[in-house]
Amino acid sequence: MTASNEEKWINKKISRREMLKLTGMGVAGIAIGASGFGGVMKAMGYDVFETVEDSTTAKNKVNFYGKHQSGISTPVQKNIYFASLTVLVTSKEELQALFKKWTPLMVRLMNGELMVDLTTNTRVPTGDTGEAEGLNASNLSITVGVGPSLFDKLGMAHLKPAELADLPHFPKDQLQKEYTGGDLCIQACADDPQVAFHAVRNLVRAASGKVEIKWSQAGFNSFPAEGGTPRNLFAFKDGTVNPSIKDEQDLNKVVWVDKGWLKGGSYLVARKVQMHLETWDRTSLKDQEATFGRHRDSGAPLGKTKEFDDFDIEEKDSKGEYIMPDTSHVHLARKSGARILRRSYSYASGVMSNTGAHDAGLIFISFQKDPAQFITVQNSLGRLDKMNEYITHRGSAVFACFPGVQKGSYLGEALFNAL
Ligand code: HEM
């Protein structure tokens, strides 16, 4: 951060003690004048920049500050609440102010604290919506990204990385507008569904009038009691072959952007993929296994016995047939040669109103240093993937997720410094 920038907002920083005083004043004022939540937050001092530290004592806590945002190389949690947002602000200054406001709130949420201190004044809406009270931090991670549409909207087209463009149309896509695109995203993952939801709900509430939710999706992963890879709704272990989140050198090759204002950030691709469970459930186990190229129970590649056994997609049996069929999902994904970090969650959202079938599937999420990596894999799956018989891609979005925040800085600062 440059000295002048630092000055600009350090001047605005207030201590926690002053903040509490302000809160008291604000509450008194609100009772007289302000009506909405925006007024409450303003009076409570949240339009000024407050530095909140990562708690050193909170249980099940993921750190907010660091080189990268949380929720990318963080161990996968049990739950996600993913929201794609439309911005209502019309200037970059307003967006910057919003990110400054969100930063301390995000730290507090990830500490498992309330968004703001409780007020005893019952005549105003409470600062925090309250449903996470008594739940601990639950390994909450919050990842924020910006979509391609944001840059044109706010006169920042010159700062839009060339890689950040809407994904191309893929052959079997049946995308619905209501699950596609977005100016911003918030990915909240936690080991408790209510903690994840609470995070998005409160960040959006604190941004009242500045953003609105375009589409959102809750999801879950269920881990075996003894640990290991969770199964998706087709009952196959999902997430076996992935870059190790502990191998920073490999992540530098696959996940982290290494240039421009996004350096240290990553591109997030989200695909809402409906899985036709009824059709799948009528399919023989043999065909199911041929669909993925893996054994269902062990998760091992076909012809092998253990989940993490190595395999060669070109290997053939005595009849000259591929052991892992060349139309299987894993064969085609591997053949693409591209690598991505998958961080997906299952969803079950009632039934399709037109067919009565389960509205269930996978909120597929991958991180990569360039969306081209995802595109290469998806193109390889293309029309050939045997899994196409059982899935429909309904939603799609791509976001550039900011680098991590350093203590004393704020979310997205590098973007605004580049202006
Ligand atoms: C409903 C949608 C999907 C389901 C149910 C699904 C399921 C699976 C399963 C069970 C595996 C094997 C186990 C593993 O390594 O995790 C796998 C592997 C993989 N999938 Fe998917 N997948 C889906 C969509 C996608 C999409 C959209 C992409 C990217 C375009 C993708 C890319 C991959 C990759 C890269 C692998 C690892 C391949 C390797 O072994 O090298 N998947 N998927």
Side-chain angles (χ1 to χ4, degrees), residues 293-295 300-306 309 315 323-324:
R294 283 187 173 267
H295 293 289
L302 287 186
K304 311 277 176 199
T305 51
K306 295 201 201 74
D309 280 350
E315 209 180 315
I323 294 177
M324 184 176 276

Side-chain angles (χ1 to χ4, degrees), residues 237-241 273 292 329 334 342 364 374 378 387:
K237 294 187 178 188
D238 200 332
T240 306
V241 172
V273 187
F292 284 111
H329 181 70
R334 176 68 64 96
R342 290 174 295 136
F364 171 93
F374 168 85
Q378 185 59 45
M387 197 174 52

Side-chain angles (χ1 to χ4, degrees), residues 35-55:
S35 51
F37 179 71
V40 178
M41 291 300 286
K42 201 170 159 92
M44 290 184 104
Y46 271 90
D47 55 346
V48 287
F49 196 84
E50 187 203 8
T51 298
V52 176
E53 308 250 338
D54 274 312
S55 163

